[in-house]
Amino acid sequence: MNNTRVLLAKRPEGLPSPDCFILHESRAPSLAPGTVRCKTDFLSIDPYMRSVIGGNHMGQTVEVGGVIPGEAVATIIESDNSDWPVGLQVRCKTGWQSISDHQTAELSRIPQGLTQPSLALSILGMPGLTAFAGLTSLAKVGAGDTILIPAAIGGVGAMAGQLCRLAGAKTIGISSGPDKCKIATHKLGYTHCIDRLHGDIAEQLQAVAPEGIDVYFDLVGDPILTIAAQQLALNGRVILCGLIQDYNGQIKTMGPPPGLWIGKRATVMGLVVYDFEHQREAFERGYTPLVEQGLIQGNESIYQGLAQAPQAFCDMMNGAALGKVIIAV
Amino acid sequence: MNNTRVLLAKRPEGLPSPDCFILHESRAPSLAPGTVRCKTDFLSIDPYMRSVIGGNHMGQTVEVGGVIPGEAVATIIESDNSDWPVGLQVRCKTGWQSISDHQTAELSRIPQGLTQPSLALSILGMPGLTAFAGLTSLAKVGAGDTILIPAAIGGVGAMAGQLCRLAGAKTIGISSGPDKCKIATHKLGYTHCIDRLHGDIAEQLQAVAPEGIDVYFDLVGDPILTIAAQQLALNGRVILCGLIQDYNGQIKTMGPPPGLWIGKRATVMGLVVYDFEHQREAFERGYTPLVEQGLIQGNESIYQGLAQAPQAFCDMMNGAALGKVIIAV
């Protein structure tokens, strides 16, 4: 059985380019006892991978020549464990390849009743859980709050904006270009969306939130982090979650000086989604029906075929993708 | 009636020196209707004044030629309001002068049952309330926590260390030189005190708190803020409260990069004591008996006479003072 894999050809410097990756065909070995073999259906492409392939993301790395890691929805095609039968669709860390073998402990079921399986990687997957953990457990967003979400239509942002809207908050997104801003306001229901490519971000923010912002969910680092901090309302909350600009290695976010946090009486919280695995089941159970009923919209940018994964990754990292990036393998 | 006043002679650059101040004698005008006249007994000298005389502290400033602002314990010597009789000792913002006139709304009573009135400016005053608000309301310090307090024997630090000790926490102070470290451990009951003038701070901290610190109460800014952040335990809490190094204008604290807060899953909270005025009465009622019974020690460095105020202020700002700086006027 042939396995198509995407390997790291070289570590990127700055914005990644497709030539950092190379497609490779190999033969899959025979299946080890007790394990299962999966065929990748949908592969999730996420910003944190930029630091993994750069050499370090919270201890996780990949060497040049190694398979790029990643999570996917996959179908079991061979099984040596009757609890995980052939034909079952699961979520697992396949990496960027068409075939992967797993211990059953590495598999999880996708949410019950989900019509569109790829959503288990986006709105109902790790990005959705990230938004849920940050806004529900940490920031405790509620009616009356004004919240700012950069990368508004991305994997985390799309769920974050909709969770806040459902909570009764005024939601302000930041995105790049009129098409993406229109997705934010028309599809995802943001109250406003600031186009970071047209006009001064700070001035636009001041115009739509003159009373300041109560919650800022940082996914990008500076310069937007510092702008948001300057326009934070007194007693504002800030979730620090991602640093996409830093992942590209173009800047080193220092954030605002502590004196600004003091003046704002801010509460600043670091979020790592891996800490919230215990909330995943409740999250999926609560939100799958809302997604199925169309009360929460998925927003995926689906690329066809594993060969497109490098380009899809690069589009995401330079802001060209129109939603959570998924590869239909 | 003559009034001795300390005026701002020039704005300091870097560490302040006594020649930034000038002593001045004037005649007090006659008392306005409804007001009271106070004779300053004990004057509080605090680090935030460095930014006030530098030109800005949260909107508060003083012009060259103006009286240096400050809080004091004072005795009413003339009164046009029977609720505030002559002879009553009160707390009010006299500024650095021997005589001051006040609207009665500007006066507050000193804690009942307090034998040593100057403590109403230190351990039971604004510095004590700062420690109480930060550690009780914000950081919620409890048994099992390891807490790090820089400026360990200063106005805020002395109370912070003792509150944490009473809460059952392991308390680690940072101070300068063996004499001050001995005050921290022998008088104030710190578990350990790191001498920042002898040896590497980070290495010493690692040695006494190998498991990391749960709470850091920042009073000083960088470089200690960043060292503390690096040695924070997972889910650690950080209270941002003061930036004494920045007040001197020698450095501009940037703090650790946000990526470090994320990795630590930190909660970072800005504290301004003025927000906790509503807790003052409960704080005084709860802690005055502990002070009177010797369960909490005051640690004041008392200078004699208003003419010593400039030197006392400079000693405090360069770390030479052995406790909360008070002027016995």
Side-chain angles (χ1 to χ4, degrees), chain B residues 2 17 22 27 32 57 82 119 135 142 169 179 189 215 243 245 258:
Chain B
N2 269 4
S17 51
I22 188 166
R27 269 196 76 77
H57 179 82
S82 57
L119 294 178
L135 297 166
D179 292 345
V215 175
L243 293 162
Q245 296 293 353

Side-chain angles (χ1 to χ4, degrees), chain A residues 73-86:
Chain A
V73 167
T75 301
I76 297 177
I77 55 171
E78 224 183 309
S79 175
D80 192 30
N81 183 317
S82 57
D83 291 341
W84 298 88
V86 168

